[in-house]
Each structure stands twice: as structure tokens, then as C-alpha cells.
Amino acid sequence: MKYPMNSTQNITHRAAEVRIERLNKRFGDLIAVRDVSLHIERGDFFTFLGPSGCGKTTLLRMIAGFTTPDDGDIYFDDQRVNDIPAWDRNVGMVFQSYALWPHMSVFDNIAFGLRERKAPKHLIREKVTAALKMVSLEGLEKRRPSQLSGGQQQRVALARTLVIEPRLLLLDEPLSNLDAKLRIQMRNELLRLQRELGITTIYVTHDQEEALAISTRIAVMSQGIVIQQGTPQEIYESPRSPTVADFVGVSNFLEGNVVQVEDDYVRLDLQNLPSLLISWREWLESPPPPGTALLINVRPESIQIETETSEIASPSNRIPGTIVASVYLGSAVQYEVELPSGQCVRVNALNTRRTPLLPEGQSVLLSFSPQYAVLLQPA
């Protein structure tokens, strides 16, 4: 395969649109991917999010061409690519292990794909120089991978992938080997590069915070199925099942039965707790009849802690409780509060430096607006 003669020193990409239609993959009795259909738009930063073993890496490998689907179709733009081998799909993939050649220099690692494509020497130097600048590795081109930090090795792997100007960038847990601070730094750098290049990117991770921070859209997977897809805000604020609510972020679940419908609100009776008023219209197709069992999902940051001396700002749901633990996080304080039912809920209180920390054993009232809770059907 000849590399096209291109005198530009910039790295450019013709981003692909990806369509996945009813894709299935089995390994013996295990169904790794089950009837998955997705539309990944040109320039998207699309993330497959889910726990280990949910099928997200298998799905990525089928898009790359490393794994063959049993059923279904994969399209890049309008081209069906099921029968096109991985090396002819013009896809770049960054692996969790980086997969750098230990005996090669940084320059030669980045240049590897260009040389395999028979690119002329002057073009290789131009492209590699541009790639080094793009990932801020100028001056390190003669070093070996063993002489680099984990973050620098990740940058080499990324530059080696981008220098071949792929239509599609695939990343499989690329930051999981980095420490927490470097992981944040690298994900911001990765997001900057993706935005500048406009390359369609598909990212695999089990890290919910990472997915929320970098994605334009997310597909949450469980047991080989996409159980919800949408923007990060939609996934976090409007989960459509207890599984999504529980996996993406921290959730407090309260079980109740409908006792009354009041226009756009339902009143639910909870065991050993005051009844709660919750908005139903955003979550349910029709008002649930009395006796319907529902789950209330309230995020820790949506709950306020009130003491007997607190001023009540506006009407809201209130539940009594007792503080049983607290964790000081600097910008916030994380409280565990035991309810009269014996259940514990988590509350994140913003640290304003004006309010003293509440001690264990303190009686409190937990309050939240009817609009800040999500109604879900029990699993």
C-alpha cells in the first residue's frame, strides 16, 4: 500500500461516520455483544461505558476489525466494512498496554505505521515532527520507551496512531495505567487533540467520571446490551433504569408505593418515613395508579442537610435522620445519614468554610425538591 504524497506538515483527518446495526458476538455459550445498534456521528467523542465483562471491548474490536461479528453490520460512512481486514480500514487504535516497541526510539515508534505504508522519508520526518509537536514530546524523539514516564509513553502511542491520519480513533482503557493526577491531565490533553483534529473517536472505559468528562455521547453497557445512550448530562441526570443510575455516579434509592396523584406529582408512601411528593411526568408515560411500586433516585448533591436552626427556604420533601459518618473532601463534606427505616443515604454538602462540620449523632432533616428526584421502575 502506497502512502499518498502530501507535502503538508500538519496532521489531518477525514472523520468517519459509524453505523452499527444489530451486532452480535458469541464466544461459545457466552453472548458478549447482543443486538447492538448505534449511530456515531462524524466528529463525535463516543464512549462505551460499563463494568468489566459487559462487552464494550469486544464491540470496539469488532469496529477495528480484530474480531468478526456473528451477525449484524458495521458501516464507515456508507461503506460496509465487515469483510474488510483491520489493516485496510484506516482505523487507529490505542491499547491499554500502549504496545510500544521497546527496542525502537520514540521517533521510530511513531514512524512505524508510515514506513509500513511505504511513505517517502521526507514525508515521514515531516509527519513525525508534526506529531511530536502535537503531543508535546519535542526533543524526546531519540529516547526509548523505557526512558519515558507513563504519561509520555501514552503520548507516543497516541502520536503513533494519529500520524497515519486514521478515519477513526479507537481507545481501549488508555489511561487506566496512570495515576489519578496524570490521568486527569492526559484526558484533558486527549480531549484537546480530539477537538482540534475533529476526528471521530470511540473510547472504552469503566470509569464513569472519565466518561462524563470527555464524551459528547455515552452508551452504557451491561451484559452485552446497550441499556441507555445519550449525552453525559442525559445519562447522569435522567437515568432510565436502576442499573444506569447505580453505575453512573452515586445514587440514593428509596422504595415507595403510590398513594395519591396530584396533577404532575405523585405522593409515595415509604416504610417508616414521611410520604414524599415527586414529579412523575418526565419519567413515566402516564400517571401511575395507587399501589404502584416505584424507586426514587436522589443524587447526594441534590439533598440538603438542615438542622433545627436552619432556615427553610422553600417547600420540599423532608426526611429525619442521624449523621453516622462524615468524610472531609476539601471542597465538600460527604455525610452518611441513617434514616428511621435503618437505611443509610449519602449527602454531599458544599464546603463554604462558614458552616462547622456536623458531628456524628447529630439529628438532621434531609430535604430535596420534588423536581430533583428521578422515578424508576424497580428492576
Side-chain angles (χ1 to χ4, degrees):
M1 174 179 173
K2 292 291 185 181
Y3 196 87
M5 293 296 291
N6 185 348
S7 60
T8 180
Q9 293 188 17
N10 295 322
I11 306 296
T12 59
H13 298 82
R14 185 173 65 86
E17 178 186 40
V18 179
R19 284 187 295 116
I20 299 168
E21 297 182 354
R22 304 186 66 89
L23 212 60
N24 291 276
K25 183 61 186 179
R26 306 172 191 84
F27 296 102
D29 295 332
L30 173 67
I31 302 178
V33 173
R34 185 195 305 264
D35 200 30
V36 168
S37 295
L38 293 169
H39 179 201
I40 300 169
E41 297 180 1
R42 205 180 314 276
D44 253 355
F45 198 121
F46 199 102
T47 297
F48 300 157
L49 173 66
S52 298
C54 72
K56 56 189 185 294
T57 294
T58 300
L59 182 55
L60 192 77
R61 290 179 63 84
M62 285 192 285
I63 296 170
F66 300 143
T67 300
T68 303
D70 294 321
D71 306 292
D73 297 302
I74 303 170
Y75 292 89
F76 293 174
D77 298 325
D78 293 324
Q79 181 184 25
R80 184 178 180 274
V81 298
N82 290 48
D83 301 322
I84 297 177
W87 56 87
D88 279 341
R89 295 191 185 189
N90 195 19
V91 167
M93 187 156 178
V94 178
F95 299 91
Q96 181 178 354
S97 62
Y98 312 148
L100 301 178
W101 299 104
H103 62 287
M104 291 185 181
S105 66
V106 167
F107 185 97
D108 290 337
N109 264 284
I110 297 174
F112 182 80
L114 297 174
R115 288 177 176 145
E116 288 292 301
R117 288 163 173 75
K118 311 298 182 186
K121 290 183 179 180
H122 75 276
L123 187 59
I124 291 175
R125 179 156 295 279
E126 288 176 1
K127 294 290 185 183
V128 173
T129 299
L132 285 164
K133 183 177 181 180
M134 183 171 57
V135 298
S136 303
L137 288 177
E138 306 102 310
L140 302 181
E141 56 267 27
K142 294 182 179 180
R143 292 192 183 182
R144 300 286 177 88
S146 61
Q147 298 173 303
L148 302 176
S149 67
Q152 289 170 332
Q153 290 182 44
Q154 184 59 271
R155 290 170 188 265
V156 174
L158 187 59
R160 181 185 60 184
T161 301
L162 293 175
V163 79
I164 63 170
E165 302 180 8
R167 301 167 63 190
L168 185 63
L169 176 62
L170 308 179
L171 302 116
D172 187 9
E173 303 268 12
L175 308 181
S176 60
N177 291 332
L178 305 178
D179 62 53
K181 186 175 182 179
L182 187 54
R183 191 181 305 128
I184 294 173
Q185 179 184 331
M186 280 301 302
R187 82 183 185 202
N188 292 339
E189 185 69 12
L190 181 60
L191 187 58
R192 178 189 67 81
L193 285 172
Q194 192 272 340
R195 295 289 189 267
E196 287 182 1
L197 296 171
I199 185 172
T200 307
T201 300
I202 304 177
Y203 194 93
V204 161
T205 185
H206 65 274
D207 188 320
Q208 53 190 284
E209 180 182 322
E210 196 168 89
L212 294 173
I214 63 179
S215 311
T216 54
R217 291 167 64 222
I218 297 171
V220 183
M221 298 187 66
S222 177
Q223 298 180 339
I225 301 171
V226 173
I227 54 177
Q228 187 174 342
Q229 59 175 305
T231 66
Q233 187 174 7
E234 288 168 344
I235 295 294
Y236 185 80
E237 296 183 6
S238 303
R240 294 298 174 182
S241 70
T243 301
V244 174
D246 192 40
F247 185 76
V248 182
V250 176
S251 291
N252 296 305
F253 292 110
L254 301 170
E255 298 182 26
N257 293 291
V258 176
V259 293
Q260 187 178 2
V261 178
E262 305 174 13
D263 296 325
D264 291 343
Y265 299 90
V266 291
R267 185 167 294 281
L268 292 99
D269 183 36
L270 286 76
Q271 185 179 11
N272 297 323
L273 294 174
S275 64
L276 300 178
L277 196 66
I278 308 294
S279 175
W280 66 264
R281 192 169 291 277
E282 184 178 352
W283 316 112
L284 305 174
E285 294 181 357
S286 59
T292 303
L294 293 172
L295 277 181
I296 303 170
N297 171 35
V298 190
R299 299 290 190 184
E301 66 273 14
S302 296
I303 302 175
Q304 291 185 315
I305 292 185
E306 303 172 355
T307 63
E308 292 181 358
T309 59
S310 299
E311 294 185 5
I312 299 176
S314 61
S316 65
N317 294 300
R318 284 179 172 79
I319 305 173
T322 304
I323 293 176
V324 294
S326 63
V327 179
Y328 180 77
L329 300 174
S331 61
V333 181
Q334 191 176 86
Y335 290 105
E336 293 284 340
V337 181
E338 185 176 359
L339 307 182
S341 61
Q343 179 181 354
C344 283
V345 300
R346 185 176 296 178
V347 181
N348 289 346
L350 184 66
N351 179 18
T352 62
R353 302 192 178 203
R354 297 175 184 172
T355 305
L357 299 185
L358 300 174
E360 293 182 16
Q362 170 80 52
S363 294
V364 295
L365 284 175
L366 304 184
S367 67
F368 63 91
S369 167
Q371 286 79 21
Y372 289 171
V374 175
L375 280 180
L376 299 170
Q377 301 285 352

